[in-house]
Amino acid sequence: LEGIAIPTVTIDNVSSARTATEHLIKLGHSRVAHITGPLHLLVSQDRLKGYRQALLQNNLDVDNILIQEGDFTHESGYNQMTKLLALEHPPTAVFSANDEMATGVIKAAKDYGLSVPEDLAVVGFDNIKLSAIYDPGITTIAQPMFEMGKKAMELLIQQINGVEMTKRQYVLQNDLIIRDSCGAKLFNNS
């Protein structure tokens, strides 16, 4: 929550989203869409900011028609992807603000007769368990959930014990997990 005066444990959502989008651009995609989370949330705003930064840093235009607001559910990923597929020039890649919406993106593409990743590359966010077993496996940004929980608990115990808190924000490292949904393995094998 923005402006709250308590310690926080997070990742750099701007940088992570930029990494996810740049991955798609490096694979040759210039029409990359983004399905955001609810834009009243700071996390969604930061991921959108990272997406835009990646496009601009790679000399690609930010086409607002390719940005659709979701709500972090499978259904919203599906619904927003159907809107994108109805465009005269649909995207060739999608960065979804979470993995659950990415499953909706893939389902919509399949329902439209498209193959993922051959016709549409998809990258998600969070590395939930489903992303590893979904077909195809979802390329995603992995947050260090265990470490985040551990650090948050340490900070809580320190506060309970009256320890003076000088540092307010702890930013942990994340990783891009490459699976089949983005086409990188196809790209690297050819």
Side-chain angles (χ1 to χ4, degrees), residues 37-188:
L39 288 173
H40 68 276
L41 298 176
L42 184 60
V43 66
S44 300
Q45 295 167 23
D46 284 349
R47 291 177 189 176
L48 175 58
K49 188 182 298 181
Y51 161 81
R52 287 184 168 161
Q53 285 178 1
L55 293 178
L56 295 172
Q57 289 172 359
N58 286 278
N59 299 313
L60 296 173
D61 292 331
V62 176
D63 185 349
N64 287 327
I65 197 79
L66 294 179
I67 300 169
Q68 297 292 323
E69 183 177 1
D71 65 9
F72 289 136
T73 64
H74 170 87
E75 294 77 17
S76 73
Y78 185 94
N79 293 336
Q80 299 310 327
M81 191 64 219
T82 59
K83 290 180 188 177
L84 292 166
L85 290 171
L87 295 173
E88 185 176 349
H89 301 290
T92 60
V94 177
F95 164 47
S96 175
N98 79 342
D99 290 342
E100 195 170 335
M101 288 192 303
T103 66
V105 167
I106 293 168
K107 174 83 169 98
K110 288 180 178 181
D111 286 355
Y112 272 71
L114 300 176
S115 176
V116 175
E118 290 83 357
D119 301 317
L120 181 74
V122 179
V123 173
F125 205 107
D126 290 331
N127 195 34
I128 61 174
K129 284 186 181 183
L130 181 62
S131 65
I133 58 175
Y134 201 78
D135 184 27
I138 299 171
T139 297
T140 186
I141 296 289
Q143 298 190 62
M145 296 298 196
F146 180 83
E147 292 81 4
M148 290 169 78
K150 182 179 178 200
K151 185 65 179 174
M153 195 63 193
E154 288 170 2
L155 294 170
L156 179 60
I157 291 169
Q158 287 176 9
Q159 281 194 305
I160 290 170
N161 292 330
V163 175
E164 182 69 31
M165 308 299 271
T166 55
K167 188 173 179 182
R168 291 281 179 218
Q169 188 173 25
Y170 295 82
V171 180
L172 302 183
Q173 192 61 40
N174 59 78
D175 293 305
L176 176 67
I177 308 297
I178 299 173
R179 296 192 180 103
D180 295 330
S181 68
C182 66
K185 293 179 181 179
L186 293 172
F187 183 75
N188 290 331

